[in-house]
Amino acid sequence: MKTIAAILLASAAMIASSNAMAAPNVVVSIKPIHSLVAAIMQGVAEPTLIVDGGASPHTYSLKPSNAKAIESADVVFWVGDGLEKFLEKPVQSLAGKATVVELDDATGIEKLKFREGGPFEAHDHGEHEEGHDHAHAAAHDHAHEDDHKHEAEHKHDDGHDHDEGEYDMHLWLDPANAKAMAVEIGKTLMTADPANAQTYQDNTKKLVDNIDSLDNEIAATVAPIKDKPFVVFHDAYQYFEHRYGVKTAGSITVSPESTPGADRIKQIHAKVKELNATCVFAEPQFEPKLVNIVIEGTNAKSGTLDPEAGTLKAGPDLYFQMMRGIATSLKECLS
C-alpha cells in the first residue's frame, strides 16, 4: 500500500514538475504592466521585468540580460512603441518565436490625446525624457520659448509616438484601461499555456474584481479635493483625471536629467503664481530643492506623484500601491 502511495506521489510530483517546466517564459516591459501580468500568473510562474528599479521607460537602455530574456521569451507584453521606444527594434529582431502583445491595442482601451497650449506646455517627451536625447535636454534650459512648440512636434516623431504622436500612453492610470489590459493578458496566457488556462482565468477574474474595488476606493479618496487645482511637472496624469474628475491647472516641462537655468526657473515660478495652484507635484527623479525654488513666494505646496511606480517593489501588489499612492498624495497635499 505504501509503495502504491509513494508511486502516486511521485507521479503527481512529476506532473507538477512537468507543468512548471511547461509554463511560458513571459517578459514584461514596465512595472505597472508587470504587476498585472504577475497577478494573473500567480501560482504558475513569475514574469520577467525589463525596466526595473527606479528606471524610466523614456530613458532606458536595453541591457544584455534584457536582450537574452526577450530572445528566450514565449510571450512579450509591452504598452507599445509610443511609450517604450527602446523596445521597438529588439522586439522585432529578438522576439522571433514569441507572441508579442501591444497592450495599447487591447479591446476596450480608451486613449486620450495630448494636451498642448494654454496652461499645458507643449508635450515633449523626446526632449525631457528620451534617453537618446539627453544632450538636447541639457541644452533646453537655454532654448527660446518660441522654438518650444516646434521642438515638441518634432519629438513626437521619435518619442511618445504611437498613433502619429497624438495620444498620451500612460493608459494604466485609468483602472478601466487596466481592466481591459488584464483581460487581454489573461486571454493571451490561456492561449500560450492551455495547461494552466483555468488558473489564468480565475486569476484574471480576481484581478478585475480587485481593480473594481480599487476604483471605488480611489473615487472616495479624491472626492473631497476634486475642485482644488494643481500643477504637475510632466503631463502624465490625464487618464487619472479623466476617471476621477480631479483638476490639473497645467503642466511644466522640465528635464529631470539637468537642473533648469535661472531664466527657466523664473518662467516656471511665474507660471505657478499665475495658475494659482494649490499644489505643485514633482516625480521621484526631481530634486526636492527644485520644487521648493519653484513654489517660493506662491501659495502652492509641494508633493510627489509616481506614475510609473519607480519607488515601488515590482510584483502583483504594485499596481494597487501605485494607484493608492497617487490618490493619497493628491488628497494630502490638496486638503
Side-chain angles (χ1 to χ4, degrees), residues 141-315:
D141 302 334
H142 309 289
H144 296 296
E145 286 298 303
D146 293 345
D147 295 335
H148 198 157
K149 269 195 165 48
H150 173 73
E151 288 169 6
E153 286 158 9
H154 171 71
K155 294 305 172 191
H156 277 170
D157 294 337
D158 54 328
H160 255 345
D161 187 22
H162 205 66
D163 297 311
E164 289 76 47
E166 291 180 2
Y167 294 97
D168 182 346
M169 295 294 282
H170 298 82
L171 305 164
W172 59 89
L173 293 179
D174 182 341
N177 280 345
K179 287 198 298 181
M181 289 179 178
V183 171
E184 192 72 28
I185 291 162
K187 283 192 322 196
T188 302
L189 291 172
M190 282 186 266
T191 302
D193 182 18
N196 290 300
Q198 190 61 55
T199 301
Y200 298 136
Q201 187 176 340
D202 294 346
N203 285 349
T204 300
K205 185 184 182 307
K206 183 180 174 186
L207 176 59
V208 166
D209 289 345
N210 288 342
I211 292 172
D212 278 334
S213 299
L214 175 75
D215 190 20
N216 293 330
E217 179 190 325
I218 290 173
T221 300
V222 300
I225 50 90
K226 280 208 290 196
D227 296 325
K228 303 275 183 78
F230 59 94
V231 168
V232 292
F233 270 42
H234 160 213
D235 185 24
Y237 305 94
Q238 65 167 326
Y239 288 97
F240 192 95
E241 297 163 46
H242 180 69
R243 185 69 180 173
Y244 300 112
V246 293
K247 189 177 177 184
T248 305
S251 71
I252 304 159
T253 303
V254 173
S255 166
E257 289 86 26
S258 59
T259 306
D263 286 349
R264 186 70 179 130
I265 292 279
K266 264 164 81 174
Q267 290 162 9
I268 296 166
H269 186 270
K271 184 167 201 173
V272 171
K273 212 164 187 176
E274 173 201 337
L275 292 170
N276 198 27
T278 311
C279 276
V280 175
F281 288 99
E283 290 172 25
Q285 69 268 41
F286 289 101
E287 284 289 332
K289 190 171 83 170
L290 173 60
V291 185
N292 293 335
I293 292 168
V294 166
I295 64 172
E296 193 178 348
T298 74
N299 295 323
K301 295 188 291 182
S302 66
T304 304
L305 301 174
D306 191 5
E308 289 160 7
T311 59
L312 299 176
K313 185 183 174 186

Side-chain angles (χ1 to χ4, degrees), residues 23-43:
N25 288 326
V26 178
V27 175
V28 191
S29 58
I30 60 170
K31 281 181 171 180
I33 307 306
H34 176 270
S35 180
L36 302 177
V37 178
I40 293 170
M41 291 188 74
Q42 274 188 320

Side-chain angles (χ1 to χ4, degrees), residues 26-73:
V26 178
V27 175
V28 191
S29 58
I30 60 170
K31 281 181 171 180
I33 307 306
H34 176 270
S35 180
L36 302 177
V37 178
I40 293 170
M41 291 188 74
Q42 274 188 320
V44 178
E46 287 184 21
T48 300
L49 173 63
I50 293 177
V51 184
D52 204 355
S56 164
H58 310 296
T59 55
Y60 195 75
S61 295
L62 205 70
K63 298 173 186 172
S65 58
N66 301 147
K68 195 175 174 184
I70 293 168
E71 210 165 14
S72 61

Side-chain angles (χ1 to χ4, degrees), residues 88-170:
E88 186 179 8
K89 286 178 183 172
V91 160
Q92 288 169 4
S93 60
L94 298 173
K97 71 183 183 73
T99 300
V100 178
V101 181
E102 285 192 47
L103 289 167
D104 67 332
D105 290 330
T107 303
I109 288 283
E110 182 180 8
K111 293 182 189 175
L112 301 174
K113 292 191 174 185
F114 285 129
R115 300 179 286 198
E116 294 186 345
F120 290 96
E121 285 297 299
H123 203 96
D124 194 350
H125 276 222
E127 161 210 301
H128 127 224
E129 291 172 336
E130 281 295 332
H132 65 265
D133 208 4
H134 284 185
H136 181 76
H140 169 64
D141 302 334
H142 309 289
H144 296 296
E145 286 298 303
D146 293 345
D147 295 335
H148 198 157
K149 269 195 165 48
H150 173 73
E151 288 169 6
E153 286 158 9
H154 171 71
K155 294 305 172 191
H156 277 170
D157 294 337
D158 54 328
H160 255 345
D161 187 22
H162 205 66
D163 297 311
E164 289 76 47
E166 291 180 2
Y167 294 97
D168 182 346
M169 295 294 282
H170 298 82

